Amino acid sequence: MSRTLAILGVQLRRSVLVALQYRVDFVLNAVMAVFWTASSIVPLFVLYSNRKSVAGWTWPEALVVVACFTMLKGCLSGAIQPSLQAVVEQVRKGTLDFLLLKPADAQLLVSTSRFELWRTSDVVSGALVLVYALVQLGYTPSVGAVALMALLLVSAVAILYAIFIVVISLAFRFVKVDNLSYLFMSIYDAARWPASVFRGVFSFVFTFVIPLALMTTYPALALLGRLAVTDVLIALATAAAFFLAARVVWLRSIRHYTSAGG
Amino acid sequence: MISVSHLTKHYQVHKRQPGIAQALRSLWKRQYESVRAVDDISFSIAPGERVGFLGPNGAGKTTTLKMLSGLLHPTSGEVSVLGHVPALRSREFLSSIMLVTGQKQQLIWDLPPAETFELNRAIYGLDRAVFKRTLDELVLALRIDDVMFKPTRQLSLGERMTCELAAALLHRPRVLFLDEPTIGLDVTMQGVVRGFIKRYNEETGASVLLTSHDMDDVAALCPRIIVIDHGRLIFDGTLSGLVEQQRPEKRVTLRFGEDVVAARLQGLGRVVDQAARSAVIQVPAGELRGVVQKAFAELPIVDLLAENAPLEEVLAELFAKSREARA
Amino acid sequence: MKRFGSMFAGLLRVAFAEAVAYRGEFIVWFLATNMPLVMWLLWSTVAEEAPIGGFGPAEIAAYFIVTLIVRLLSGAWVVWQMTEEIRSGTMGQRLLRPLHPFVNYCAENLAAFPLRLVVLTPVFIFAAAYVGGGFTSSWAQWALAPLVILGAWAIGFTAQLLIGALAMHWQSAVSLMDFWLGLYFVFSGYLMPLALFPAGLREAIAWLPFPYMISLPVQTLLGQIDTAATLRGLLVQSAYIGGFLLSALLVFRAGLRRYQVFGG
């Protein structure tokens, strides 16, 4: 465990150094993150300037979902996706072998190989949106509600992480999967709306196949104190299941990769 | 054909100490350092010449090649290639040169080399019949008839390099700039590439300027060499001239039929290496004849080999001297 | 001119082969461009509750399906290619050739059109069945539509050339592309019909290049504007294309002096 943390620390330090090398990008990217958050709110703003409520969600309530979406996106594109991209490159160039030679868990090394720290600005801007929404609502959530939201967000990160590990595992067999992460990011974009906006087939897909509803709508409901206990349990169980399944897929792929000789 | 006078290139490089604290500091304040990649060099190359361009890593070889091919603007000094100023990148200029580097490639990665050839035909506006004839010759000389229809990504390094050469020669350039063309190739492929460059030069009278770390490339291809170190020209002349200047001694390897003690070698020359039944001695070139005769008369010799010092060694000595001179 | 024509044809041919080799990537991009569909779901939920700004569920559907088609036909990607080539130094290989790199990029982008049309066939069929009578009935509009779509592509393409050329001076220039994209998504009509914006804002937006990249072709195809408006739009498109291209050429030429890839 201490070794795991040590590795994480070293890799984070390295990412900080890389980020600091490009000082303009550092600032610029942070500004861009805020800009993107704002631009993703515009349609919602236009929508709610015409309506009081949509699919049972008022403007500030919908903003809570946007806030969860933005914070998660920061984690996704700052800590999870860059590593994925790095691995896909390594598989293509054949340098992944060096990584597999190291005496540490390969999944850990792979998933910590690159962080884009300026993405934390997404987390910050998400939090700002959250505060604004709560002020608009005139609602002070209990400590328990905040903790529950945090817990559900962590389990959402676990689900996202698991999906990405599966994508990386695919990279071992089919080299060209960097686009798949792009595809996934585009699907994740749909998570910025409250899940009840989606009806029919999409409602099914976004709840059970790619559990977008669990990722952003559930934490928002938890904060607003509207989430049933059973739903909390379902979300946590789903996250655990995704995480374990990803580990199994990863181990099998590594075995396949090493036995195929690269 | 190619003339370079007082050519200089400076780079601004961002200087930074390691560590987080230093990195943070450099967010506010950056230190720049001017690096002289090429520092006042002059030379000229005649039509049909094959010139080796040598120097340690970072000496400024690639930078010079890039200025000669118009990819970099010189900080100062003049360059003329075939009467053109390369940095202006005129169509005539670009149509009569080529630059091939062992590391970067122009072949389209996911398509067969044949498609890159076709692309170059269009770009250089080559007549189809002429193109076909040139391509046939190149395919024959470089033995790429099978590989040119396989996607580039599936080719071996050597196959890729030969196709790279073919793609760069379709427009029959009159000046060839080659940057490490044999890097990473096996001995056979090196031979093919060398033989081909030599033949192209002899048949078309094109000038060749080649950098390489492989002294065999240079020995096989280049009667003349230009050596630079830290951006400065430190030698320009023939290969044999360099050896004579740096190491006028010949190196004689002797093998004996029976054990020979060290004392018996004295008076022959400087002993570089000695074992029971063999020895290597170094002799001034003028004294070689006398020494060999003496050796045969006095020692139980079964085999004798007289040669120049290895080129690598000669160059290493040259670089060491240039470093001393700088210090 | 004839020489240029035959050269360009040669470029297109090879670029088409390349586009075919990258069909996998293209299909993924095609699938990843699902934002109009997501927006369709969102806005149709809203429109089902009550029409919004004159858009009922059917109008919303027509709008976003056609938006999807326009977006997929008019997308350009040259800025990513350029910045990557500048960063890695492979731009040097292009510069060695006696041909302006922009011509080459243009051929590479245009050569992808046939493939796009093929991949989009199911969407066309779906659009014909679903939108049907929603399309314009004016022949003039139909004749102008390909031009407006080409213009939409060319605005994006030349703007990207400009940003890519800036990358020769300033390595973070690619962030500008993010900025451009953000504005594009909001103000082009990609995320919502521009008609839903307040009137004052709409007038301001009309001065930007973005409405001419999605909204103009979509409205032309759906007959929401008249032929004169489409022609006016074409004029604005040409002005933007000319402006971007000229600036891109100048910036690129200046960039050649500065462009340096460090190497021994």
Side-chain angles (χ1 to χ4, degrees):
Chain A
M1 191 61 203
S2 71
R3 192 140 132 198
T4 303
L5 285 177
I7 290 174
L8 192 66
V10 171
Q11 305 266 47
L12 259 172
R13 193 186 119 90
R14 201 186 53 183
S15 296
V16 172
L17 284 176
V18 172
L20 289 176
Q21 278 218 339
Y22 301 99
R23 59 174 170 170
V24 183
D25 298 57
F26 197 72
V27 178
L28 212 60
N29 287 327
V31 172
M32 282 314 303
V34 176
F35 171 76
W36 273 109
T37 309
S39 81
S40 71
I41 293 178
V42 171
L44 215 56
F45 181 76
V46 171
L47 175 55
Y48 279 102
S49 59
N50 286 290
R51 284 293 153 78
K52 276 259 154 331
S53 123
V54 174
W57 292 75
T58 63
W59 161 241
E61 287 167 355
L63 277 185
V64 175
V65 178
V66 171
C68 291
F69 167 81
T70 309
M71 289 190 283
L72 260 189
K73 191 174 159 211
C75 299
L76 176 62
S77 53
I80 300 177
Q81 202 208 4
S83 298
L84 171 89
Q85 221 92 50
V87 176
V88 174
E89 264 163 45
Q90 285 179 328
V91 172
R92 184 182 292 160
K93 290 188 197 148
T95 49
L96 188 76
D97 297 359
F98 295 118
L99 206 143
L100 295 180
L101 283 177
K102 301 222 170 100
D105 183 62
Q107 187 181 344
L108 175 69
L109 287 179
V110 158
S111 26
T112 57
S113 63
R114 202 188 286 166
F115 294 98
E116 288 187 2
L117 291 162
W118 54 271
R119 298 276 183 191
T120 44
S121 52
D122 265 333
V123 179
V124 175
S125 64
L128 289 178
V129 172
L130 188 65
V131 171
Y132 175 79
L134 291 178
V135 171
Q136 287 285 303
L137 276 172
Y139 167 73
T140 316
S142 66
V143 177
V146 175
L148 190 57
M149 177 186 78
L151 179 66
L152 287 173
L153 282 176
V154 169
S155 70
V157 172
I159 294 174
L160 287 171
Y161 173 71
I163 292 176
F164 268 71
I165 284 294
V166 171
V167 173
I168 291 177
S169 305
L170 288 174
F172 294 144
R173 301 188 190 211
F174 320 100
V175 170
K176 280 187 171 177
V177 296
D178 45 347
N179 276 308
L180 275 184
S181 80
Y182 180 53
L183 183 59
F184 179 74
M185 287 297 275
S186 79
I187 294 171
Y188 174 74
D189 267 342
R192 76 180 66 178
W193 318 122
S196 57
V197 161
F198 301 107
R199 313 241 164 111
V201 186
F202 292 97
S203 158
F204 178 81
V205 169
F206 290 153
T207 312
F208 296 105
V209 185
I210 306 165
L212 295 183
L214 298 190
M215 293 179 198
T216 54
T217 308
Y218 278 30
L221 286 173
L223 187 75
L224 298 171
R226 291 200 223 147
L227 194 63
V229 179
T230 47
D231 286 337
V232 176
L233 293 178
I234 288 173
L236 294 180
T238 310
F242 265 75
F243 198 80
L244 287 176
R247 181 69 184 170
V248 171
V249 171
W250 166 265
L251 289 176
R252 289 185 61 130
S253 298
I254 279 288
R255 206 174 318 135
H256 175 84
Y257 179 78
T258 43
S259 65
Chain B
M1 169 129 319
I2 299 177
S3 81
V4 172
S5 68
H6 304 293
L7 184 64
T8 301
K9 178 76 193 177
H10 292 184
Y11 287 112
Q12 293 290 320
V13 180
H14 169 213
K15 206 168 107 184
R16 196 170 70 76
Q17 270 75 41
I20 298 255
Q22 289 296 333
L24 275 172
R25 187 168 305 158
S26 78
L27 276 180
W28 325 118
K29 196 175 155 204
R30 285 207 158 181
Q31 288 186 316
Y32 286 98
E33 193 177 31
S34 181
V35 175
R36 291 183 194 187
V38 174
D39 192 6
D40 191 26
I41 66 173
S42 307
F43 60 84
S44 66
I45 295 174
E49 259 196 297
R50 292 191 306 267
V51 180
F53 197 36
L54 309 179
N57 285 333
K61 301 182 301 265
T62 305
T63 305
T64 308
L65 281 191
K66 281 182 177 163
M67 287 193 280
L68 286 174
S69 52
L71 290 180
L72 275 180
H73 286 242
T75 308
S76 67
E78 265 137 53
V79 187
S80 155
V81 176
L82 298 164
H84 300 277
V85 177
L88 295 179
R89 303 179 8 87
S90 73
R91 193 183 160 84
E92 296 79 51
F93 168 72
L94 292 173
S95 300
S96 46
I97 64 148
M98 67 88 119
L99 166 69
V100 164
T101 69
Q103 280 116 2
K104 301 228 168 73
Q105 54 158 17
Q106 65 161 320
L107 296 174
I108 303 170
W109 186 245
D110 290 291
L111 292 181
E115 295 289 347
T116 306
F117 300 162
E118 185 61 28
L119 180 71
N120 280 2
R121 187 193 70 73
I123 289 177
Y124 288 96
L126 304 174
D127 177 69
R128 212 170 261 284
V130 177
F131 166 76
K132 176 112 191 6
R133 205 163 49 238
T134 315
L135 184 58
D136 286 346
E137 283 171 26
L138 291 171
V139 165
L140 201 67
L142 289 164
R143 304 176 208 166
I144 52 171
D145 40 344
D146 305 328
V147 298
M148 65 184 272
F149 297 108
K150 283 191 227 162
T152 304
R153 60 168 189 278
Q154 294 173 8
L155 302 185
S156 73
L157 200 57
E159 291 168 339
R160 232 183 284 156
M161 195 59 207
T162 43
C163 289
E164 199 71 42
L165 274 175
L169 289 171
L170 282 170
H171 61 287
R172 306 230 133 229
R174 286 155 61 206
V175 174
L176 274 54
F177 298 119
L178 300 154
D179 194 8
E180 301 280 355
T182 59
I183 201 163
L185 303 190
D186 65 29
V187 180
T188 325
M189 272 336 253
Q190 282 181 348
V192 170
V193 168
R194 274 178 212 149
F196 174 78
I197 293 170
K198 194 165 177 186
R199 222 181 88 194
Y200 183 88
N201 156 268
E202 280 162 358
E203 282 172 7
T204 63
S207 305
V208 176
L209 182 60
L210 158 142
T211 75
S212 182
H213 277 102
D214 189 336
M215 288 308 138
D216 294 341
D217 274 353
V218 179
L221 277 174
C222 307
R224 176 181 162 197
I225 56 169
I226 293 174
V227 186
I228 63 171
D229 187 22
H230 276 78
R232 291 185 178 239
L233 193 139
I234 54 175
F235 181 84
D236 181 358
T238 61
L239 201 52
S240 49
L242 175 70
V243 176
E244 271 164 35
Q245 180 200 312
Q246 282 300 311
R247 260 308 170 77
E249 291 102 358
K250 292 274 176 186
R251 184 167 276 212
V252 184
T253 308
L254 306 166
R255 285 187 199 289
F256 311 119
E258 57 196 59
D259 291 2
V260 170
V261 291
R264 292 178 69 189
L265 296 172
Q266 263 167 18
L268 284 177
R270 196 160 70 82
V271 180
V272 181
D273 187 27
Q274 206 225 332
R277 292 196 168 199
S278 70
V280 179
I281 55 174
Q282 208 150 290
V283 187
E287 296 167 22
L288 182 64
R289 200 184 155 80
V291 169
V292 170
Q293 278 172 349
K294 193 171 171 219
F296 268 110
E298 293 175 5
L299 297 166
I301 286 173
V302 293
D303 190 17
L304 181 146
L305 176 70
E307 60 189 347
N308 288 325
L311 204 45
E312 284 84 354
E313 226 178 278
V314 176
L315 278 173
E317 217 163 86
L318 184 64
F319 296 149
K321 271 189 195 160
S322 108
R323 212 163 305 136
E324 268 169 38
R326 269 204 317 280
Chain C
M1 199 61 215
K2 188 170 163 259
R3 205 183 115 89
F4 182 82
S6 79
M7 182 207 68
F8 201 71
L11 291 183
L12 282 177
R13 216 195 60 71
V14 176
F16 179 71
E18 207 175 352
V20 173
Y22 289 117
R23 59 193 177 278
E25 275 86 344
F26 177 69
I27 290 171
V28 170
W29 179 69
F30 171 77
L31 292 174
T33 309
N34 47 27
M35 192 50 112
L37 297 180
V38 171
M39 282 300 166
W40 175 17
L41 294 177
L42 174 73
W43 288 101
S44 67
T45 304
V46 177
E48 269 163 29
E49 289 171 0
I52 178 165
F55 284 83
E59 286 80 18
I60 286 289
Y63 183 86
F64 282 109
I65 292 169
V66 178
T67 295
L68 177 69
I69 291 174
V70 170
R71 166 74 183 139
L72 288 174
L73 282 179
S74 66
W77 66 88
V78 68
V79 70
W80 317 112
Q81 203 181 348
M82 264 180 97
T83 46
E84 170 57 25
E85 288 181 1
I86 289 168
R87 198 187 55 76
S88 68
T90 40
M91 176 62 92
Q93 293 293 350
R94 282 188 196 270
L95 293 176
L96 281 173
R97 293 169 170 166
L99 175 74
H100 199 288
F102 287 6
V103 180
N104 213 332
Y105 287 131
C106 179
E108 282 168 28
N109 267 249
L110 285 177
F113 268 102
L115 199 69
R116 292 181 182 199
L117 289 174
V118 172
V119 176
L120 274 170
T121 309
V123 184
F124 290 142
I125 295 170
F126 178 73
Y130 203 92
V131 182
F135 281 113
T136 177
S137 54
S138 147
W139 285 109
Q141 297 277 64
W142 277 109
L144 289 175
L147 278 180
V148 193
I149 292 175
L150 192 71
W153 165 79
I155 293 180
F157 179 75
T158 49
Q160 291 193 11
L161 285 182
L162 176 58
I163 294 171
L166 282 171
M168 298 183 96
H169 300 263
W170 182 41
Q171 58 182 356
S172 320
V174 75
S175 310
L176 275 180
M177 193 57 214
D178 272 356
F179 193 64
W180 169 272
L181 270 181
L183 293 175
Y184 164 79
F185 283 145
V186 175
F187 295 124
S188 66
Y190 186 58
L191 300 179
M192 74 205 100
L194 292 180
L196 298 182
F197 278 116
L201 188 56
R202 249 193 348 254
E203 269 166 39
I205 293 172
W207 291 94
L208 298 175
F210 310 108
Y212 304 94
M213 301 173 69
I214 295 280
S215 191
L216 176 71
V218 172
Q219 288 187 307
T220 301
L221 280 165
L222 292 175
Q224 290 174 353
I225 50 175
D226 58 16
T227 312
T230 302
L231 284 171
R232 267 202 307 281
L234 264 174
L235 219 61
V236 180
Q237 281 187 334
S238 328
Y240 268 115
I241 294 164
F244 283 137
L245 183 61
L246 197 67
S247 340
L249 284 168
L250 291 175
V251 172
F252 188 80
R253 204 170 63 179
L256 285 179
R257 288 198 63 85
R258 286 178 51 105
Y259 180 50
Q260 33 185 251
V261 184
F262 196 85

